[in-house]
Amino acid sequence: MARPSLGWRRPLALGTLTALGIVATLGPAGSVAQSPGTPTPGGTITMAVEGEPTSVDPAFDYDFVSGYATSSITEALLVFCENDTQLCPNLASDWNVSDDGLTYTFTIRDGVNFHDGTPMTVEDIVFSLDRIRNPELGSYVGWMLANVADVTAPDDHTVVVTMSQPDALVQYAFASTAAHVVKQAFVEEHGDQYGTPGVGSIGTGPFKFQEWVSGDHQTLVRNDDYWNKANGGPYLDSVIIKILPEPTTRVAGLETGELDFVLNNLPSDQYATVQGFPHVNLSFIPSYYGEWITYNTAVAPFDNVKLRQALAYAVDKAGLRQLYYGPDSPATKGTIVYPTLWSFEQDQWQAAWDALPAYDQDLDKARQLLEESGVADQLNGKTIAYYESTPSIKGIGEHFIDVMGQLGVTIEAQKITYQEAIALQFGAHDDYDIIVGAWGSDFPDPSGNLRPNFASENIAAGGANASAYTNPEVDTRLAEQNTLTDNAERSRLMIEAQALIAEDAPLISITNPGWPLATNERVQGAQVGPLWYWGSLFKDVWVTQ
């Protein structure tokens, strides 16, 4: 889902893991790294994802499946480094920001070629940034560049981004897929087919697109002419990304050795099983990620605050956490600004957290609020959309149906694929009643969960406001904090917005689990941090022969 010092990060759900007999192996600032030893070129690793990738077009890489390939093929101007705590040069060898925060000047690295051998130019960079921010494209990450007024290239080595107003988060966008550089001629040649299985993509990254067999796998091969070899890798000959929707198949693949690498796509009820495989290393990484239930709050009956509060009190969030994430999985209260995201002003955020409604299950209160809402009867026959490839997502959907049945309300299941869920969550947000969703902040900043999910500007297709939630007071506060550099004042405004959101209850926050990473013991050099989805996971990976 990209995304200052973060030494405050702490491991998540470690109590859960030790309760299962698992010891989490965490490096500095919560990253996970395998002991690299002496890298050896060659070899192939096979990993698994839970659903069909959306695209290898970075404009539409905004889920937890597509990025494995996309972020190894194309690259951003900047990169997250130092365990995702800092921004470092990448395709831009240097950059600076004007004192007023309105001008970003990037010095573009010499000697970078696309996979076809042609040089990357400043014209490609201007094209790439303008393409992402063009509303006609409907890019899933276009919102990150919403305050960009102009992109120019005054010479062959410089790109200047001019802002319409200061933007506290845009610096991070330059390390995300919003700033991935694509080849203008290739994109224009293939039009709407760019990024699809039959066309793929070319970029400047450590691996090249070789093939994508829809429903089966993607294959990447090493870019022997990669510009950044001086910093190590790429070593692997190839990476195979298997599309395996069935969780037990992914676990079985780890056991047999057919799979070498599974990140995130590991069913939580199988952690102990995987930990017992003698040739598999299981580690956990702190996350900004959470799972939740939301609704189309723009239409009846979900435009009724009391009804939404009733639904929040109905769900047994503690039970779901224990069942799918372990007994010590962290509670989230009525918010998705998790403690891991308190990257500044932690005392302010803690006091605000303590004051938030928890919405612990209370069926009597749920019944009372349903009655007070006056629209409870309109719930009957509504549907909840969820995909089944992740046990917790499926379990949340099934639990919601069951608990609403206890309240005398009939909710129907709308079983969808992972890819369909992504299309719904980032679509027009008017084509479902209720949906089980997931989100991980793009940046190490509380606004990374607040602004995309709750600002009304992000209701439009391509935006992340899956609740279709609108509150002018929230919009005002989120917009104002985004123009400031004073983190104390930013925190005050975001905390006020968070309180309003929690009271409005546009979604039911379940938990904030850590990322599980399972690797075959032959896999070395893996570097994984909280923002793993923004960069190549395979550049420095090698395998013992």
Side-chain angles (χ1 to χ4, degrees):
M1 307 32 308
R3 315 206 224 160
S5 167
L6 300 184
W8 50 268
R9 286 180 181 159
R10 54 190 181 274
L12 297 184
L14 295 189
T16 297
L17 308 180
T18 53
L20 291 171
I22 301 171
V23 177
T25 304
L26 297 174
S31 69
V32 171
Q34 305 296 337
S35 177
T38 302
T40 304
T44 295
I45 67 169
T46 302
M47 65 162 299
V49 294
E50 65 183 305
E52 184 80 15
T54 301
S55 179
V56 289
D57 178 350
F60 301 101
D61 170 15
Y62 207 31
D63 55 64
F64 297 114
V65 165
S66 303
Y68 295 105
T70 303
S71 290
S72 285
I73 298 168
T74 51
E75 299 180 285
L77 294 177
L78 306 180
V79 66
F80 286 98
C81 59
E82 301 299 325
N83 297 315
D84 295 347
T85 64
Q86 298 180 32
L87 290 168
C88 287
N90 199 47
L91 294 179
S93 60
D94 195 11
W95 77 102
N96 64 74
V97 187
S98 61
D99 291 341
D100 60 7
L102 292 176
T103 306
Y104 288 74
T105 303
F106 297 92
T107 302
I108 304 307
R109 192 178 299 277
D110 288 326
V112 177
N113 291 333
F114 287 112
H115 294 154
D116 62 357
T118 59
M120 179 192 72
T121 68
V122 291
E123 287 77 18
D124 292 305
I125 296 171
V126 172
F127 170 81
S128 299
L129 295 174
D130 281 343
R131 178 174 179 264
I132 292 293
R133 67 192 190 91
N134 182 352
E136 293 184 6
L137 180 67
S139 168
Y140 294 165
V141 291
W143 67 272
M144 296 184 188
L145 303 182
N147 290 321
V148 172
D150 193 25
V151 184
T152 60
D155 58 53
D156 290 346
H157 303 284
T158 309
V159 170
V160 177
V161 176
T162 304
M163 307 298 296
S164 60
Q165 64 182 45
D167 187 328
L169 295 183
V170 76
Q171 60 176 328
Y172 303 122
F174 297 123
S176 76
T177 51
H180 273 215
V181 178
V182 298
K183 183 176 179 179
Q184 180 175 358
F186 187 84
V187 174
E188 291 179 339
E189 175 187 356
H190 294 286
D192 291 344
Q193 293 304 300
Y194 171 65
T196 62
V199 170
S201 173
I202 63 172
T204 63
F207 289 87
K208 301 178 183 181
F209 175 90
Q210 183 179 72
E211 69 174 355
W212 177 357
V213 178
S214 184
D216 190 80
H217 71 277
Q218 296 172 310
T219 301
L220 311 177
V221 296
R222 184 176 60 241
N223 175 16
D224 289 324
D225 297 320
Y226 184 54
W227 64 270
N228 197 18
K229 284 184 177 179
N231 294 325
Y235 304 111
L236 296 169
D237 290 333
S238 60
V239 177
I240 299 172
I241 303 169
K242 291 289 293 181
I243 301 166
L244 300 175
E246 176 52 52
T248 57
T249 304
R250 300 194 292 273
V251 173
L254 286 169
E255 182 176 24
T256 62
E258 295 174 84
L259 294 178
D260 302 295
F261 190 108
V262 178
L263 172 61
N264 177 37
N265 303 303
L266 190 65
S268 55
D269 59 352
Q270 295 294 303
Y271 288 166
T273 298
V274 173
Q275 192 269 344
F277 297 158
H279 59 281
V280 174
N281 297 312
L282 180 61
S283 304
F284 292 83
I285 305 105
S287 84
Y288 309 145
Y289 169 83
E291 296 175 354
W292 32 260
I293 302 168
T294 195
Y295 345 88
N296 179 4
T297 64
V299 300
F302 304 109
D303 57 349
N304 186 293
V305 173
K306 286 194 173 182
L307 180 129
R308 298 197 301 265
Q309 291 173 340
L311 300 182
Y313 280 112
V315 172
D316 184 8
K317 295 173 284 296
L320 287 169
R321 288 192 293 268
Q322 182 168 356
L323 184 60
Y324 293 106
Y325 313 98
D328 298 318
S329 180
T332 57
K333 293 202 167 185
T335 179
I336 59 172
V337 181
Y338 316 116
T340 51
L341 278 168
W342 302 345
S343 50
F344 41 77
E345 305 300 328
Q346 294 176 42
D347 291 344
Q348 282 193 52
W349 285 100
Q350 183 65 63
W353 176 276
D354 294 342
L356 285 170
Y359 292 111
D360 293 330
Q361 187 181 42
D362 186 333
L363 293 181
D364 290 337
K365 192 162 189 174
R367 290 188 184 93
Q368 176 189 338
L369 286 167
L370 279 175
E371 184 176 349
E372 291 177 4
S373 75
V375 295
D377 59 314
Q378 298 180 36
L379 278 173
N380 278 302
K382 297 297 183 182
T383 61
I384 181 169
Y386 59 89
Y387 55 94
E388 299 185 283
S389 57
T390 297
S392 56
I393 297 292
K394 176 186 177 186
I396 291 168
E398 291 175 343
H399 168 75
F400 187 84
I401 293 171
D402 178 70
V403 77
M404 294 311 298
Q406 297 177 44
L407 295 174
V409 175
T410 300
I411 301 293
E412 304 290 342
Q414 181 185 351
K415 298 178 182 180
I416 55 178
T417 65
Y418 180 88
Q419 189 175 38
E420 289 169 336
I422 295 302
L424 289 177
Q425 190 169 331
F426 296 103
H429 306 129
D430 60 359
D431 45 4
Y432 52 81
D433 300 324
I434 312 165
I435 188 171
V436 182
W439 177 268
S441 175
D442 303 305
F443 318 120
D445 190 293
S447 184
N449 271 5
L450 285 172
R451 183 180 163 204
N453 289 283
F454 302 111
S456 62
E457 65 185 349
N458 294 315
I459 295 175
N465 187 341
S467 309
Y469 171 74
T470 299
N471 183 323
E473 294 184 65
V474 170
D475 282 343
T476 298
R477 287 164 172 80
L478 293 182
E480 183 179 350
Q481 67 82 27
N482 203 56
T483 67
L484 305 176
T485 57
D486 182 337
N487 283 333
E489 182 63 10
R490 288 188 64 222
S491 292
R492 181 186 68 80
L493 291 165
M494 286 190 284
I495 285 168
E496 289 177 359
Q498 175 183 250
L500 291 167
I501 294 165
E503 184 67 21
D504 285 343
L507 55 71
I508 304 171
S509 181
I510 307 299
T511 194
N512 165 222
W515 299 116
L517 170 64
T519 58
N520 189 290
E521 62 184 359
R522 75 189 192 100
V523 175
Q524 303 294 321
Q527 300 284 338
V528 182
L531 298 175
W532 57 266
Y533 25 82
W534 283 145
S536 175
L537 288 168
F538 313 118
K539 174 187 172 292
D540 298 319
V541 169
W542 59 282
V543 293
T544 56
Q545 302 298 325

